[in-house]
Amino acid sequence: MPAAGSEGEESPAGEQPGPGTPKLCGYLQKLSGKGPLRGFRSRWFVFDPRRCYLYYFKGPQEPLPLGHLDIASACFSYHQPEAGAAAAGDEPAAFEVHSPGGAVTVLKAATRQDMTYWLQELQQKRWEYCNNLDAAKRDSRTSPTPSDFSKGLVAKDNPDLSILSQNASAERARNILAVETSPTDLVGEQAASQPAPVQASAINFSLKQWSTDIKNSMSSLRKGSNENRKSVFYTTEEWELLDPTPKDLEDSMALEEKRKHLAEGNKGLTSSAFPFDFGRIPHKARRPLKDVIGSSKSRNSSDSSPTEWCSGSGNRLVSELQLKYQSQQEELEKLKKDLLSQKELVRLLQQTVRSSQYDKYFASRLCEGVPKDFLELLHQKDDQILGLNNQLEKLNLEKDSLQQEVKNLKCKVGELNERLGMLMETIQAKDEVIMKLSRQLSECEGSTSSQSGAINSPTATCTNKELQELDRLKDNLQGYKTQNKFLNKEILELSALRRNAEAREREWQAKYTSLEAKLCQIESKYLILLQEMKTPVCSEDQSPAREVITQLLEDALKAEPSEQPEQAFFKPHLVSEYDIYGFQTVPEDDEEEKLVAKSRALDLRSLSLSENREISTGVKWENYLASTMNREMMRCVELKNLIRSGIPHEHRSKMWKWCVSLHVKKFKDSTVPGYFQTLLQKALEKPNPASKQIELDLLRTLPNNKHYSSPTSEGIQKLRNVLLAFSWRNPDIGYCQGLNRLVAIALLYLEQEDAFWCLVTIVEVFMPRDYYTKTLLGSQVDQRVFKDLLTEKLPRLHAHFEQYKVDYTLITFNWFLVVFVDSVVSDILFKIWDSFLYEGPKVIFRFALALFKYKEEEILKLQDSMSIFKYLRYFTRTILDARKLTAIAFGDLNPFPLRQIRNRRAYHLEKVRLELTELEAIREDFLRERETCVEKRDLISDDEEDS
């Protein structure tokens, strides 16, 4: 098998570990890409224990994996880091996964601790998976992991798996060689809420981020270059243009000339788009660091001590520069405050000028017929406006000069900062020279003292070096010991797995030989039958074909004999007595029906095996649930598509409970805690009229399911409790035949209280009123709505039914009443219920139409009403392909608006009510006539006969 799957492949359903076992998932960096783009990329990894695959995704929220690694056929290795790096446990650590065909996948963990944990867990998962392959005969349809379920009757099923005994010595050796370690926050389900670790490759840059930064820089430059293009007034946050008068335009032209002369004088200073631009420093002020260090060295050569220079002139110069810098900063802050006050004054003047302009405009229109006093007042206002304009221009000039001063101060501050940086670098270089000279001095003193009298005693420097070397060697030794233990364990496991694979291959060869012999026997009998059918050689009573057929039937229907444990592996276990839901696969009474049921079970088994070879949606569910560990699950398109494809067996209990809680939240919020127990206690203390009918129907609910087959079955008592509690909650309905089957299906995956709320969801939320009452009004309405939809979606089939006068609602009525219980095979039934509990009653219409469309051509071939009606009674049990049926229901039948169903329900509800009113009037007339007419007194109605 390949080491990695293709991009975008789906992944198989995996059995989730039990509640006590943490799921193996987390972030790793995978080496991928080609050429210059090759590097480590962070990926989210999820282990699937059913297929022993390690899937990797872009992130925890992604539904589709990028590929997978086949852990069952892989081996692992890692390289011991260089000296000194072994002790750095926080550094990223890489390991390799070697797959068949020579493919090598390099993965990198965030720390060495995580790497060790991943390797240990992958080794353990591979060991468990390969040992489980040696288990005795296992029916994949009847062996869910018991710990996968926390609720419902299915959780109590413990499949009998006879696993071969493992090598005790190998287990002891594995335990000895195991390295104890614990994961960090980047491993496990809680890691889904953590941000992805930073990628370690320098090639993995973000072009989008670069483009964003460039755009921002260019926009900032454009903003800076557009300054002072026009005469503007500065208001609260933006620049705003005003419409000046012609006289104001002449004055502004003169002021513009003054500004041009002022700008030419300051041509050397350029504006910046940033508020503090320390990078614009005159070229002559810049000196290379090498020249500065060289000059400082030349000065130091003439000085008596470099320490005096550093502590004397260097510190004084730094302190002077810092004082200058602080004074410049204070002056700059003062100028900023003055500028803000000037801006506020300009804003007030702007408002005054604007109001004056408006007054002047209106006064010019009304000057005719106005007294001279008003005209003089207007002239005075005009003079005031001109004075204010002149004052405003002066303030603008002052503002421009202040801006120029601010720019000059910025440039000076930048020069001081650069000088300060160069001086700090010079001081650092001096410090390095001082440290170097000090070390040389200490070495010289040590060598002199050692030569004088302490020849045998090692120097302090040598001792430190030897101690460091000894620590390094100890770290390396510990690292090599850990690596050696891991590799020894890897070799031990691979050897044991190889021996197990060889034994398994021998057993499969024996099984293949046994199956081939059985196939030859069946083919021989089949050829005898064909020959007899072609050319009979005996009379019908003495024909050998009859004997062969009788023998084949006996072989097919007889119970399988008990086998020795060593022989159990060689005989295929194709059909078990019960399926994973507890339904009986083969009936015990009718021999003909028994043969058909066994044939159907074999077809289901074949279909299941073919689906297991394909890629299913299990890991999509695992990844989706992992992404919701730290957030509340919400309704979304992704979840709806996952539920439509079918909830995996191990997650159905959790998802059904969530769907039910979603629909009955408003009912639960209005009830007190312990509401279900209160109703149940009331029902047990004081029986109601529905109790008798409930007791009669308990054993008739699902007699073909082992959880409800006898009075002592666990499901019977739970079924009784839920139905009694509901009869007290909803006395208008009490109990209706059909409710028992709804509760029985819910109890397979839910506890009693959750099953009670599931029944409330179906009766009080999904279905219309009077759906389960005595008149079954809502059920009758839905049959008429379904007939309209069948006419629209399948017109040929509807015309065929009309031609032969077949009332198919006699069949479909029960589909709607109990949501297909006992109408379809169990696999399809529970997939229908998955979508039904999430989307509501529209799903029933979809699947009812899909069942007819699935077998439309076969029904159209039938040419009489009796054969059509007989076929409709059992044809749903012959539909086995759930995937095809789901594709028809949610794909071929679209569009399927809920509004259309609601409108037709309202329309037919009125018609049915009118018909029921007419029938009630006829009944009352009949009763009156019977009372008045002597001849009709002996007549009774249907209701009286039933009572």
Side-chain angles (χ1 to χ4, degrees), residues 241-388:
L241 289 173
L242 297 178
D243 296 329
T245 60
K247 186 175 181 181
D248 293 335
L249 288 176
E250 294 177 1
D251 296 337
S252 64
M253 289 295 292
L255 292 172
E256 191 68 18
E257 293 295 330
K258 294 180 181 179
R259 288 200 186 98
K260 287 182 180 179
H261 292 299
L262 183 60
E264 290 176 358
N266 297 322
K267 187 178 289 185
L269 300 174
T270 59
S271 62
S272 172
F274 303 98
F276 297 98
D277 189 0
F278 297 137
R280 301 185 180 277
I281 301 172
H283 183 70
K284 62 181 182 180
R286 299 180 181 177
R287 295 179 62 192
L289 179 61
K290 182 173 65 176
D291 297 343
V292 175
I293 295 176
S295 61
S296 64
K297 285 183 179 179
S298 62
R299 288 197 301 270
N300 287 337
S301 61
S302 61
D303 295 341
S304 60
S305 171
T307 308
E308 294 178 0
W309 185 90
C310 281
S311 60
S313 62
N315 290 336
R316 284 196 303 271
L317 184 57
V318 170
S319 60
E320 290 177 1
L321 289 174
Q322 287 179 348
L323 290 174
K324 289 182 179 180
Y325 176 72
Q326 290 177 359
S327 62
Q328 295 291 344
Q329 287 284 2
E330 292 175 357
E331 187 175 356
L332 182 60
E333 291 296 328
K334 188 183 299 183
L335 290 174
K336 283 184 178 180
K337 292 180 180 178
D338 293 341
L339 182 60
L340 289 176
S341 61
Q342 294 296 334
K343 285 181 179 179
E344 181 65 22
L345 180 59
V346 169
R347 186 181 66 81
L348 296 175
L349 291 174
Q350 175 202 359
Q351 293 179 355
T352 306
V353 170
R354 184 181 297 174
S355 60
S356 299
Q357 287 178 351
Y358 287 155
D359 293 340
K360 183 178 180 180
Y361 174 76
F362 287 113
S364 61
R365 296 299 182 89
L366 301 174
C367 62
E368 295 181 1
V370 178
K372 291 183 179 182
D373 296 337
F374 288 101
L375 292 177
E376 290 177 359
L377 181 60
L378 289 176
H379 289 306
Q380 290 177 3
K381 293 293 183 181
D382 290 340
D383 295 338
Q384 291 178 4
I385 290 170
L386 291 177
L388 290 173

Side-chain angles (χ1 to χ4, degrees), residues 639-658:
L639 180 59
K640 182 172 74 173
N641 292 333
L642 283 175
I643 291 177
R644 285 181 173 183
S645 64
I647 302 174
H649 195 56
E650 58 269 21
H651 301 309
R652 185 167 281 135
S653 175
K654 174 182 178 181
M655 293 305 301
W656 278 20
K657 183 177 180 180
W658 178 81

Side-chain angles (χ1 to χ4, degrees), residues 696-932:
L696 291 175
D697 286 349
L698 287 178
L699 292 177
R700 294 184 293 187
T701 301
L702 293 177
N704 59 338
N705 191 291
K706 64 181 180 181
H707 300 294
Y708 306 99
S709 57
S710 67
T712 58
S713 299
E714 184 180 2
I716 292 295
Q717 182 58 41
K718 292 185 175 182
L719 180 62
R720 178 188 292 111
N721 292 341
V722 175
L723 291 175
L724 287 175
F726 182 80
S727 66
W728 275 94
R729 171 183 169 83
N730 200 326
D732 292 339
I733 296 176
Y735 172 73
C736 171
Q737 287 185 347
L739 298 182
N740 55 337
R741 295 188 177 186
L742 297 176
V743 176
I745 294 298
L747 282 171
L748 291 178
Y749 283 98
L750 301 174
E751 290 298 334
Q752 294 184 71
E753 186 171 357
D754 297 325
F756 167 78
W757 287 112
C758 180
L759 184 61
V760 172
T761 300
I762 296 173
V763 176
E764 301 181 18
V765 179
F766 286 167
M767 299 304 188
R769 294 184 60 184
D770 299 329
Y771 211 90
Y772 294 98
T773 55
K774 184 178 179 180
T775 60
L776 297 176
L777 179 62
S779 302
Q780 297 181 50
V781 170
D782 271 2
Q783 292 308 303
R784 301 193 181 194
V785 174
F786 177 69
K787 186 176 291 187
D788 292 347
L789 293 174
L790 187 71
T791 305
E792 177 186 339
K793 301 291 184 179
L794 303 173
R796 289 196 305 153
L797 191 61
H798 176 73
H800 190 67
F801 288 146
E802 292 294 324
Q803 179 182 356
Y804 293 101
K805 295 180 174 57
V806 176
D807 187 7
Y808 53 86
T809 58
L810 298 175
I811 305 296
T812 59
F813 186 86
N814 198 52
W815 295 359
F816 284 74
L817 197 67
V818 296
V819 195
F820 298 101
V821 178
D822 273 347
S823 297
V824 294
V825 294
S826 53
D827 276 356
I828 294 178
L829 172 66
F830 285 93
K831 283 183 169 59
I832 293 175
W833 271 65
D834 292 340
S835 300
F836 171 68
L837 291 179
Y838 182 76
E839 300 185 45
K842 186 173 71 169
V843 171
I844 305 178
F845 290 96
R846 280 186 177 273
F847 276 97
L849 290 171
L851 290 170
F852 280 115
K853 186 173 179 60
Y854 195 105
K855 293 291 185 179
E856 181 179 12
E857 297 302 326
E858 286 80 354
I859 298 175
L860 291 176
K861 292 177 183 178
L862 303 175
Q863 299 298 323
D864 62 275
S865 58
M866 290 300 296
S867 59
I868 293 174
F869 194 79
K870 184 179 179 181
Y871 183 75
L872 293 181
R873 293 182 61 184
Y874 73 87
F875 84 100
T876 55
R877 307 289 301 182
T878 64
I879 298 176
L880 308 178
D881 193 345
R883 184 178 300 179
K884 180 180 176 181
L885 183 67
T886 303
I888 295 174
F890 295 110
D892 298 349
L893 295 177
N894 285 336
F896 210 91
L898 181 61
R899 182 178 64 256
Q900 181 184 14
I901 295 176
R902 289 174 177 170
N903 293 338
R904 293 187 177 182
R905 271 178 170 172
Y907 170 74
H908 287 293
L909 180 62
E910 293 299 324
K911 292 185 65 176
V912 172
R913 282 177 175 171
L914 289 175
E915 292 175 3
L916 290 177
T917 303
E918 293 176 359
L919 289 175
E920 185 64 23
I922 294 173
R923 178 175 174 276
E924 291 177 357
D925 292 342
F926 170 77
L927 292 176
R928 284 195 299 270
E929 289 180 4
R930 191 180 64 175
E931 293 294 331
T932 56

Side-chain angles (χ1 to χ4, degrees), residues 476-663:
N476 285 343
L477 179 61
Q478 184 62 34
Y480 283 119
K481 282 183 179 180
T482 304
Q483 186 184 26
N484 189 35
K485 289 175 68 175
F486 170 76
L487 293 178
N488 286 336
K489 184 181 177 184
E490 183 75 4
I491 293 171
L492 175 67
E493 286 191 3
L494 292 176
S495 300
L497 294 176
R498 180 181 60 82
R499 290 192 299 270
N500 292 342
E502 291 175 353
R504 188 164 59 249
E505 185 178 0
R506 290 192 297 269
E507 291 168 349
W508 281 349
Q509 185 66 32
K511 178 180 178 180
Y512 169 75
T513 304
S514 174
L515 291 175
E516 190 175 14
K518 185 175 181 180
L519 178 62
C520 291
Q521 295 175 4
I522 294 175
E523 284 188 352
S524 174
K525 296 175 182 179
Y526 177 66
L527 291 176
I528 292 174
L529 285 176
L530 290 180
Q531 180 64 27
E532 181 64 22
M533 294 296 293
K534 181 179 180 181
T535 56
V537 294
C538 301
S539 62
E540 185 176 352
D541 296 335
Q542 299 176 353
S543 173
R546 182 176 296 276
E547 297 178 0
V548 173
I549 292 173
T550 303
Q551 185 63 36
L552 287 174
L553 287 174
E554 290 178 358
D555 293 341
L557 297 177
K558 70 180 180 181
E560 297 178 354
S562 59
E563 300 168 348
Q564 299 296 328
E566 60 270 12
Q567 298 174 348
F569 189 82
F570 304 120
K571 183 173 179 57
H573 188 66
L574 298 179
V575 178
S576 59
E577 184 178 2
Y578 296 98
D579 62 10
I580 56 177
Y581 313 104
F583 288 99
Q584 194 174 22
T585 55
V586 180
E588 297 177 354
D589 46 3
D590 189 357
E591 184 172 321
E592 182 178 356
E593 179 62 26
K594 187 176 182 180
L595 188 64
V596 174
K598 190 164 186 177
S599 173
R600 185 186 305 124
L602 288 171
D603 290 338
L604 278 171
R605 171 69 173 157
S606 174
L607 189 63
S608 173
L609 290 173
S610 63
E611 287 180 352
N612 285 340
R613 289 195 297 268
E614 298 176 0
I615 305 300
S616 63
T617 60
V619 170
K620 288 185 183 179
W621 273 99
E622 295 288 345
N623 207 39
Y624 177 79
L625 293 176
S627 68
T628 59
M629 285 296 297
N630 297 294
R631 62 182 176 88
E632 186 178 355
M633 200 180 302
M634 303 291 291
R635 296 178 70 111
C636 60
V637 177
E638 177 189 356
L639 180 59
K640 182 172 74 173
N641 292 333
L642 283 175
I643 291 177
R644 285 181 173 183
S645 64
I647 302 174
H649 195 56
E650 58 269 21
H651 301 309
R652 185 167 281 135
S653 175
K654 174 182 178 181
M655 293 305 301
W656 278 20
K657 183 177 180 180
W658 178 81
C659 291
V660 170
S661 301
L662 190 70
H663 295 297

